Amino acid sequence: MKAIILLLALAGVLLPCTAVTADGAMWSNTGAENADYVSLEDIRSFYKLMPIAQPKGSGTRAVGNGTITLIFGPGPRELSIHGLRCSLSHPTRPDDKGDLLVSKTDLVKLIDPVLRPTYITGRKLIKTVVIDPGHGGHDSGTVTDYTREAHVALMVASKLAGELRQRGLEVKLTREVNQHVSDQSRLDLANQTPDSLFISLHLNSGRSDVSGAETYTVAPSAPGEAGRPANEHDAANAALAVALQAALVHKAQAKDGGCRRAQYSLLSSLNCPAALVELGYATNEAEAELLNADEYQSKLALALADGIAAFTAVMNPETQLKALPPPPPPPAEPAKVEPPKKKAAPAKKATPRKRRPARQQKSKSRRRR
C-alpha cells in the first residue's frame, strides 16, 4: 500500500459529490449528551460503503468499498481508517436498534476530511512549511541513557527542510541550532508566515516497552463544549495528521502509534494547519537507537516530506475531486473459428465390370475313334 493512499488515491475514489457543510447541517441528528450523532448506516449509505463482517466477539463494526475501510472499535474512541489508527473526539454509542452512532464532530472534522480532503472548506495553496524542532538550549526535552529529544528533533528537522526545498517549497525553522526558543516565538513565526503549515517535531516518553510514532492535532471543539478553543482548521489538521502518520508508517516503517487529539496550547493558538509529531519513544532502547541513526533520520525526513506533499496537493484549490471512470469492460473473447471442414471426396462411381465373354462350352461329344 502506498504511503499516502489516504489523501492521494482517495482524491480519485468514487465518492458522492455532495459537500458536507462545516457544521454538518446536511446530516440528520441523534441527540446524545450534548453532542449530535449520526448513525453508521447513514454514513455507510452516503459514502457508498458496504458492511464488512467482523470476527465474533471482536467488538468492532466495519464498512468499506475495497479502497477504503472504516473499522470502529473495539474501544468507543477507536477508529481505523484503512489500517491507520485514529482517535475519536467522542465515544461511539449503540442505539436501540443495534446500529452504531458516531458523533457528527468526528464525522465532519475527521472522517470526511480524510475521505474527501478536496472538500475541506477554505483550502488554499500552501507555499511555506514552518518546521519546529521541539525544545533546545537549556530545555533538552526528554533525555535518557539512549538519546536526547532536542538533538534528534533538530537533526530530522534539518533533513526535512532540505528535502522540502528540493521539492520547491519554502521553509522556515523555529531554530537551526541548539538554542532555547519560547513557545510564543514559535507561534509568532508561524502566524506571521502567510500560506503556511506548521509541524512540530518531538520524541515521546513512557514505559520502556512502548514504541511507535504518533501524530497529534488539537482536539476540535463542538457545540456545548465550553472552555475548549475552536480552531478554524480542524478539518485540515485532521487531513494533515493522517497524511503525515500514513507516510511515517508506510515509508519509514515506523510502528503506528495513531493519529491522536490533545489540547496543546501550541497547536490551538495557530492560524494555519498544524500537527505535532512524536517521532518515537526516547525511553525505548531499541527505538532510541534507530532515532539516533543518520539513516533512519533521513527515512523519517523523507516520509514526512511525502506526507506534506500529499497534504499540499489536496489543499491546492485547483485540485478537484474527480470520480474515476468505470473500468472498461473486459475484452470480448475472440470467437472460436473452427477450421473449415474438409469437403468429403465425391464417391467414386462404381465402374461396371466388363463381362467376360462366356467360355465356349466344350462339346461333350467326343470324337469317336
Side-chain angles (χ1 to χ4, degrees):
M1 172 182 166
K2 298 294 183 183
I4 47 180
I5 185 174
L6 298 173
L7 287 179
L8 287 186
L10 289 177
V13 167
L14 183 59
L15 289 175
C17 295
T18 305
V20 177
T21 59
D23 60 356
M26 65 163 288
W27 296 93
S28 58
N29 301 333
T30 301
E33 294 187 10
N34 297 323
D36 292 330
Y37 277 71
V38 179
S39 73
L40 180 57
E41 175 58 26
D42 285 346
I43 295 172
R44 183 201 66 74
S45 176
F46 179 81
Y47 292 111
K48 302 186 185 304
L49 306 176
M50 297 295 294
I52 300 176
Q54 295 294 288
K56 189 175 181 179
S58 65
T60 59
R61 299 281 292 273
V63 293
N65 62 6
T67 301
I68 187 68
T69 302
L70 303 177
I71 302 178
F72 294 87
R77 292 181 184 266
E78 295 180 57
L79 168 64
S80 169
I81 303 180
H82 209 72
L84 196 71
R85 295 172 59 192
C86 296
S87 295
L88 298 171
S89 295
H90 297 277
T92 56
R93 305 175 186 276
D95 69 3
D96 55 2
K97 298 179 181 179
D99 199 358
L100 192 70
L101 300 178
V102 180
S103 86
K104 187 188 295 186
T105 298
D106 287 305
L107 173 61
V108 175
K109 297 190 176 185
L110 172 60
I111 297 172
D112 195 67
V114 173
L115 298 190
R116 305 186 309 162
T118 53
Y119 281 104
I120 293 173
T121 303
R123 286 185 303 144
K124 63 179 181 179
L125 185 64
I126 301 293
K127 298 179 181 178
T128 305
V129 179
V130 179
I131 306 173
D132 173 42
H135 309 281
H138 66 266
D139 177 12
S140 298
T142 299
V143 178
T144 66
D145 294 338
Y146 320 121
T147 192
R148 298 173 66 86
E149 180 178 3
H151 173 74
V152 173
L154 182 58
M155 294 299 100
V156 176
S158 300
K159 296 176 186 296
L160 174 58
E163 184 65 34
L164 292 175
R165 286 175 178 135
Q166 288 183 5
R167 302 186 187 204
L169 285 167
E170 296 182 21
V171 176
K172 292 184 179 181
L173 290 105
T174 58
R175 67 181 180 93
E176 297 186 44
V177 295
N178 185 26
Q179 68 182 69
H180 178 261
V181 180
S182 68
D183 283 354
Q184 189 59 52
S185 296
R186 300 171 200 261
L187 289 170
D188 290 345
L189 178 62
N191 288 336
Q192 293 168 9
T193 303
D195 305 324
S196 64
L197 68 83
F198 178 89
I199 174 172
S200 188
L201 303 180
H202 294 259
L203 298 188
N204 219 331
S205 62
R207 299 198 321 261
S208 60
D209 60 338
V210 178
S211 62
E214 301 171 359
T215 303
Y216 285 82
T217 56
V218 62
S221 60
E225 294 181 327
R228 296 183 63 180
N231 189 305
E232 62 179 315
H233 299 289
D234 283 336
N237 293 339
L240 173 60
V242 169
L244 295 173
Q245 186 69 13
L248 288 170
V249 171
H250 296 289
K251 282 295 181 78
Q253 286 81 53
K255 180 180 176 182
D256 182 18
C259 296
R260 300 172 177 268
R261 304 298 183 87
Q263 280 300 321
Y264 291 136
S265 59
L266 182 66
L267 297 178
S268 60
S269 302
L270 290 165
N271 58 16
C272 64
L276 186 150
V277 179
E278 301 279 6
L279 298 168
Y281 275 75
T283 46
N284 182 292
E285 183 176 2
E287 190 164 62
E289 288 181 2
L290 270 179
L291 292 165
N292 288 335
D294 181 76
E295 181 180 0
Y296 187 63
Q297 292 173 2
S298 296
K299 287 179 69 174
L300 290 171
L302 182 60
L304 290 170
D306 284 349
I308 290 171
F311 176 73
T312 56
V314 297
M315 287 298 287
N316 186 338
E318 295 182 2
T319 302
Q320 300 299 322
L321 182 67
K322 297 178 180 179
L324 292 177
E333 294 184 4
K336 293 182 179 180
V337 179
E338 296 184 0
K341 294 181 179 180
K342 292 183 179 181
K343 292 182 179 179
K348 292 183 179 181
K349 292 183 180 180
T351 305
R353 292 182 179 180
K354 292 182 179 180
R355 299 182 68 180
R356 292 181 182 180
R359 291 182 180 180
Q360 291 182 354
Q361 188 176 2
K362 292 181 179 182
S363 176
K364 292 184 179 179
S365 65
R366 292 188 179 202
R367 190 166 43 171
R368 293 180 179 179
R369 289 185 180 180

